[in-house]
Amino acid sequence: MKPKVIVYKKVDQEVLDFIQETCEVVSFEKLDSDTYPRFFQELKDAQGLLGSGLKINKELLDQAPQLKIVSNFSVGYDNLDIAELSARGIMATNTPDVLNDTVADTMFGLLLATARRMPEMDQLVKNGQWKTMIGEELYGVDVHHKVLGIIGMGGVGKAIAKRAHFGFDMPILYHNRSRNEEAEELFGATYCSLEDLLKQSDFVCLMTPLTPATENLMGKREFDLMKKTAIFINGSRGKTVDEEALVEALKTGEILAAGLDVFVQEPVQPDHPLLSLKNVVTLPHIGSAVYETRKKMAMLAAKNLVTGLQGETPPNLIK
């Protein structure tokens, strides 16, 4: 009998076909109040789960006594209770690397858009307010040759560093749990403390995973350390930043601007104070949101799932 798996995210038919070669598949394009009852009913005898965003915790796992593997359709896995999964002998996997270049493109685009105030200028033109050449009050700032500080030199961090080094001649500082000699050799990146990075960087790009150690990593103290001319970019997770402290830093001119792809609550509420600030560029968590990359991520998640259910070690097992 084929093992039963639940796919709780819309994926390409080719991906579903691949899973169905070896598994019985129950598919949900999304989970909401209408689909949750059936989802939890199917969960009772499911051996595998594939999707993203769903909190996989003790309460959910108590309803999935036969579960063997959770395949997270994401590089991040802060939605998974790894300790609880490990205690139950359930494998957990993610989808790193295949999205590095796509996310790096997004982050660099966000950096450029924020520095040159592109969304603001776009609205000025579309609103018919472009009557003459703009004055200094609407000028942006240069990106090339400015110091880029990257917090989290993983796969995406290195892809950002590559673009900064070869494309924009930017000196690169980085802070990481450990030194990344490859980034130092290839991109001239300099390892330093978080405090030194914040003090010296013209752009600070946060790309850490969300863990207990990185929650609220950027708060009032950290924003106070940054240059008043510095720009903050967050492509990690919303909870790595104290949003109240960020709002205050932007309002008081403690930092120049911010570009954000992630928020503490997603979707972000329309009355959130960050959305009323002109010196903030916001995106709806689109880091890897292109068809080609999402298909690669889905297929990698599927391979992780199938490999684990076949009794082998998945290629992206979270240890």
Side-chain angles (χ1 to χ4, degrees), residues 4 6-7 25-44:
K4 176 180 172 180
I6 299 174
V7 177
V25 178
V26 178
S27 180
F28 297 85
E29 290 195 359
K30 63 178 181 179
L31 294 180
D32 54 25
S33 57
D34 292 331
T35 57
Y36 271 127
R38 179 170 168 248
F39 170 78
F40 283 107
Q41 182 64 33
E42 299 287 359
L43 194 60
K44 292 178 180 180

Side-chain angles (χ1 to χ4, degrees), residues 125-251:
V125 175
K126 289 178 178 176
N127 292 339
Q129 297 172 322
W130 186 26
K131 304 297 185 181
T132 183
M133 299 309 293
I134 66 168
E136 291 184 12
E137 72 279 4
L138 295 177
Y139 284 0
V141 298
D142 271 330
V143 174
H144 59 84
H145 299 111
K146 296 293 183 69
V147 178
L148 172 62
I150 301 174
I151 305 171
M153 190 60 83
V156 177
K158 284 191 294 184
I160 293 170
K162 179 180 179 181
R163 285 152 177 75
H165 176 70
F166 291 111
F168 293 85
D169 294 315
M170 300 177 80
I172 298 164
L173 305 177
Y174 77 99
H175 180 71
N176 203 47
R177 286 177 297 179
S178 57
R179 292 185 64 162
N180 190 311
E181 294 182 0
E182 182 182 17
E184 294 177 15
E185 180 180 349
L186 294 177
F187 315 126
T190 300
Y191 181 75
C192 64
S193 68
L194 178 59
E195 183 172 306
D196 285 342
L197 182 149
L198 295 171
K199 288 179 178 179
Q200 297 176 41
S201 298
D202 298 300
F203 296 89
V204 172
C205 188
L206 181 59
M207 296 306 304
T208 61
L210 176 61
T211 68
T214 63
E215 187 166 352
N216 287 328
L217 179 65
M218 291 294 296
K220 183 181 187 308
R221 174 182 176 275
E222 288 71 30
F223 290 122
D224 286 349
L225 287 172
M226 291 173 61
K227 299 177 181 180
K228 293 186 181 297
T229 55
I231 289 175
F232 174 67
I233 304 295
N234 189 11
S236 59
R237 287 291 188 268
K239 289 184 179 180
T240 57
V241 176
D242 179 339
E243 287 185 343
E244 290 186 9
L246 175 57
V247 169
E248 187 65 19
L250 290 161
K251 283 183 174 180

